[in-house]
Amino acid sequence: MGTGEQLEGLPEDSDLRRADSLAREVFSEVANKWALLIIEALGERTLRFSELRREVEGVSHKMLTQNLRMLEHNGLVDREVFPTVPPRVEYTLTEPGRALRVTVDAFCDWTQLYLDRIEEARRRSGS
């Protein structure tokens, strides 16, 4: 990021620093495998907790809950609770969440494009 340092002294300097700080904080929270897989699984649809758990293979109940709370806290996921017995809870990406999904998709595309090179580099380095 670093734009705050480049524009030192401008009236917007504090806003740039605040945005830079927030971006780092959100990125550190969202850039984990479960959050990215949840974002990808939700896509353009609404899913219940159990449906999400089936879609995100290998995620535990606890990790799914933690990540959904974090995504909701950051405004990337909407959580809607319906007053039924038992309560029905549905999750949907918000507009910022859908915009982030475009970036997640691009990252997945990049991985597919360079998969052979990445695997070859890992073989060479012994990893």
Side-chain angles (χ1 to χ4, degrees):
M1 303 244 136
T3 53
E5 293 83 7
Q6 294 170 354
L7 301 174
E8 193 75 38
L10 291 177
E12 302 87 19
D13 187 47
S14 63
D15 287 341
L16 290 172
R17 286 192 181 158
R18 201 169 101 241
D20 186 49
S21 175
L22 181 61
R24 290 171 193 258
E25 184 180 320
V26 170
F27 184 75
S28 72
E29 291 180 1
V30 172
N32 75 71
K33 84 175 178 181
W34 297 123
L36 296 176
L37 290 172
I38 292 165
I39 290 167
E40 188 60 29
L42 282 172
E44 297 295 324
R45 57 195 174 151
T46 298
L47 295 174
R48 295 177 68 177
F49 186 92
S50 58
E51 294 170 322
L52 256 174
R53 187 144 182 230
R54 280 192 297 273
E55 287 286 322
V56 181
E57 197 172 310
V59 70
S60 69
H61 187 281
K62 178 182 175 182
M63 288 307 297
L64 183 56
T65 299
Q66 287 176 351
N67 277 274
L68 284 168
R69 285 180 183 158
M70 176 273 299
L71 291 167
E72 183 182 9
H73 172 76
N74 284 298
L76 302 173
V77 168
D78 274 334
R79 177 179 181 264
E80 186 172 2
V81 180
F82 296 90
T84 61
V85 178
R88 187 178 83 202
V89 182
E90 294 182 343
Y91 298 90
T92 309
L93 289 178
T94 62
E95 181 184 340
R98 289 189 302 274
L100 179 58
R101 183 170 171 255
V102 172
T103 302
V104 171
D105 288 345
F107 185 69
C108 291
D109 292 345
W110 172 87
T111 304
Q112 285 185 309
L113 184 63
Y114 292 104
L115 181 63
D116 292 340
R117 290 183 184 187
I118 293 167
E119 287 177 334
E120 177 58 31
R122 287 180 169 193
R123 277 193 294 276
R124 282 194 314 268
S125 71
S127 298

